[in-house]
Amino acid sequence: QIETLDGLDKEIADAELYIIVQHYTAKDVVDMSVFHELSKEEEDLLQSNEVLYNYYYASYYCYTEPDANLALTYIQKLKEAGYKTSNMFYLEGNIYMEEEDFANAVIAYKKSLELMESPTVWYALANAYDALGNYDYAYQASLKAGENYTTSDHDKDKYGVALHNKILLEGLQKKLREE
């Protein structure tokens, strides 16, 4: 259904799907346990929807049971089905980052940003550029991330992007001065 939407409605639906999928697959940062086991009803829904199924397993193999090849296989199935959302490309970038394939991570994050602006994706892009040693681009991406997250408000920034970005930005400034 997301593909039939446009504009803000599409962005909201994409973000909601991403939150749901993360809820079911991502590990808790504190205790590294899976948040939630699927009920029989949820498993049936997952099996009945090809996009949800592929998205779920791409996320699962990115965050819970890391296996980049399997995760990318499910991303490819989404692409073949014509599914293109900002969060899908963000997920793809995260898979590439985990594999230290920073050039492909940059490509995926840029595709994500073409579809929807996100300080989290700008921060991820800054990290990918930093890993490639492209400090000018990393700095610019980090500045973009900081435009929306100016303080560490954990109600609005639960992953601490503002704080992490501030540290990255300071490190990049030092690297640029050294060049």
Side-chain angles (χ1 to χ4, degrees), residues 34 63 89 101 110 116-117 122 176:
V34 176
Y63 300 119
F89 288 114
D101 183 349
K110 288 171 85 174
M116 181 174 60
E117 288 283 317
W122 278 112
L176 287 168

Side-chain angles (χ1 to χ4, degrees), residues 16-83:
E16 288 175 353
L17 174 61
Y18 187 73
I19 290 166
I20 290 167
V21 170
Q22 271 197 315
H23 176 74
Y24 291 133
T25 63
K27 292 180 182 179
D28 184 290
V29 175
V30 176
D31 67 14
M32 299 307 283
S33 63
V34 176
F35 284 143
H36 176 77
E37 295 295 324
L38 295 177
S39 68
K40 175 71 173 121
E41 183 179 295
E42 291 164 336
E43 285 180 19
D44 290 345
L45 174 63
L46 182 63
Q47 296 293 330
S48 70
N49 184 311
E50 184 179 359
V51 168
L52 183 57
Y53 177 88
N54 289 319
Y55 202 119
Y56 175 89
Y57 280 106
S59 185
Y60 180 83
Y61 287 118
C62 177
Y63 300 119
T64 305
E65 295 291 331
D67 184 326
N69 289 332
L70 275 173
L72 290 171
T73 297
Y74 287 106
I75 292 288
Q76 185 58 37
K77 289 180 181 185
L78 288 167
K79 289 178 180 181
E80 289 169 2
Y83 185 78

Side-chain angles (χ1 to χ4, degrees), residues 102-151:
F102 306 120
N104 276 320
V106 165
I107 292 168
Y109 292 142
K110 288 171 85 174
K111 286 180 183 175
S112 175
L113 289 165
E114 287 173 11
L115 296 169
M116 181 174 60
E117 288 283 317
S118 164
T120 302
V121 180
W122 278 112
Y123 171 71
L125 179 62
N127 277 288
Y129 277 132
D130 183 31
L132 288 169
N134 193 330
Y135 306 128
D136 288 329
Y137 285 123
Y139 183 77
Q140 293 306 315
S142 186
L143 286 175
K144 289 292 281 184
E147 287 176 6
N148 293 306
Y149 283 150
T150 55
T151 64

Side-chain angles (χ1 to χ4, degrees), residues 70-98:
L70 275 173
L72 290 171
T73 297
Y74 287 106
I75 292 288
Q76 185 58 37
K77 289 180 181 185
L78 288 167
K79 289 178 180 181
E80 289 169 2
Y83 185 78
K84 293 181 180 91
T85 65
S86 177
N87 282 311
M88 183 200 74
F89 288 114
Y90 173 66
L91 176 59
E92 182 181 31
N94 291 345
I95 296 164
Y96 284 125
M97 285 295 287
E98 190 66 30

